[in-house]
Amino acid sequence: MKLKRYLQVTKPGIIFGNLISAVGGFLLAAQGPVDWWLLLATVSGLVLVVASGCAINNCIDQDIDAKMTRTQKRVLVTGAMSTKAALAHGIVLGLAGFAILWRWTNPLAFGCVLFGFVIYVGVYSLYMKRNSVYGTVVGSLSGAVPPVAGYCAVTGRFDMGAAILLLMFSLWQMPHSYAIAIFRFKDYEAAGIPVLPVVRGISSAKQQIVLYILAFAAATVMLVFGGYAGYGYLAVACATSLWWLKMALSGYKRETDDRAWARQVFFFSIITITALSVMMAVDGKTPADGHRPMLTADASAYR
């Protein structure tokens, strides 16, 4: 039971989601033979850092968690684990994860993960989540890091493919998070967290969900037009995005139960991003010119 609380404080569900997207980004970039050792090092380091961020986030949010029904049973709220133990656990996990990334990947992949960690823990958790309606926007950047880090671990550079992944996964975070805020509206209201549905109303959040899904759909097909993915990926991207959009638009029906609708949008968002992560892995390809257009300096020499 003592070991179980050390796992629970790291939010295993979030770790698993990030793991899938990181592998998707890695395999999208890894055309031809896969460097399995590099994949293992990238995934291991990333998982440890994500676990670290979640543990530290639990320390920061325990006062908020005590006010929200869905989080009242977290180990720091119930007293099953002390703040000191959780913080120490998070620090150790983070140091181990960053050490692995630095030693066995490359500085760019390391920098991507560090960026995501700083945004999630330092900017989002410590300030934006409690003080700004734009906290979700800022937090979306950290959520988009795993596939980008996986991709950059292979390429050693931030090219157009990495930029598309960053845009795509950031946009996905928005309707996903707003849907949670709608069906957990009372929790966020009770905790005083300024998410969009609480601050500007559910109608405004519904509108934003539709617009972000449209933007996400456009971003997903950019991988195909850029030559990074094939037609199998395109078919899945179009099918999932259009169904997700249809589901979002159904929220405007007069008889809609907003909570039930938001749950559907949330759960389908998970299906969508999982399906795309899998298709990136199995249907990725090298651009027709054989080169990936670079946006910044090459870092592969440091691998």
Side-chain angles (χ1 to χ4, degrees), residues 146-169:
V148 178
Y151 182 95
C152 290
V154 176
T155 64
R157 60 184 182 176
F158 191 91
D159 60 18
M160 190 61 71
I164 294 171
L165 288 178
L166 181 64
L167 176 64
M168 176 177 149
F169 279 78

Side-chain angles (χ1 to χ4, degrees), residues 229-247:
Y231 293 116
Y233 165 86
L234 178 62
V236 172
C238 290
T240 52
S241 295
L242 289 175
W243 190 263
W244 198 18
L245 178 62
K246 178 184 177 182
M247 190 176 291

Side-chain angles (χ1 to χ4, degrees), residues 100-138:
I100 291 172
L101 292 168
W102 181 258
R103 175 63 180 84
W104 286 292
T105 64
N106 59 57
L108 182 57
F110 176 92
C112 286
V113 177
L114 178 61
F115 169 79
F117 183 85
V118 170
I119 290 294
Y120 180 63
V121 174
V123 181
Y124 174 73
S125 297
L126 284 174
Y127 182 77
M128 296 295 290
K129 181 176 181 177
R130 297 167 183 262
N131 296 284
S132 175
V133 71
Y134 299 108
T136 308
V137 178
V138 173

Side-chain angles (χ1 to χ4, degrees), residues 10 16 29 39 54 56 59 68 75 124 129 155 175 199 241-242 297:
T10 62
F16 183 70
L39 175 59
C54 289
I56 296 173
C59 296
M68 301 175 71
V75 291
Y124 174 73
K129 181 176 181 177
T155 64
V199 175
S241 295
L242 289 175

Side-chain angles (χ1 to χ4, degrees), residues 46 55 81 84-85 100 114 119 139 168 172 178 200 292 296:
L46 180 67
M81 188 175 192
K84 183 178 179 180
I100 291 172
L114 178 61
I119 290 294
M168 176 177 149
W172 171 83
Y178 286 157
R200 298 179 183 171
R292 299 178 184 275
T296 61

Side-chain angles (χ1 to χ4, degrees), residues 53-103:
C54 289
I56 296 173
N57 171 265
N58 265 328
C59 296
I60 296 169
D61 281 358
Q62 56 186 301
D63 61 321
I64 294 174
D65 289 343
K67 300 175 183 177
M68 301 175 71
T69 304
R70 74 181 180 92
T71 56
Q72 285 177 346
K73 293 185 179 181
R74 285 182 175 171
V75 291
L76 293 184
V77 177
T78 62
M81 188 175 192
S82 70
T83 303
K84 183 178 179 180
L87 182 60
H89 183 49
I91 292 172
V92 170
L93 290 173
L95 290 174
F98 281 121
I100 291 172
L101 292 168
W102 181 258
R103 175 63 180 84

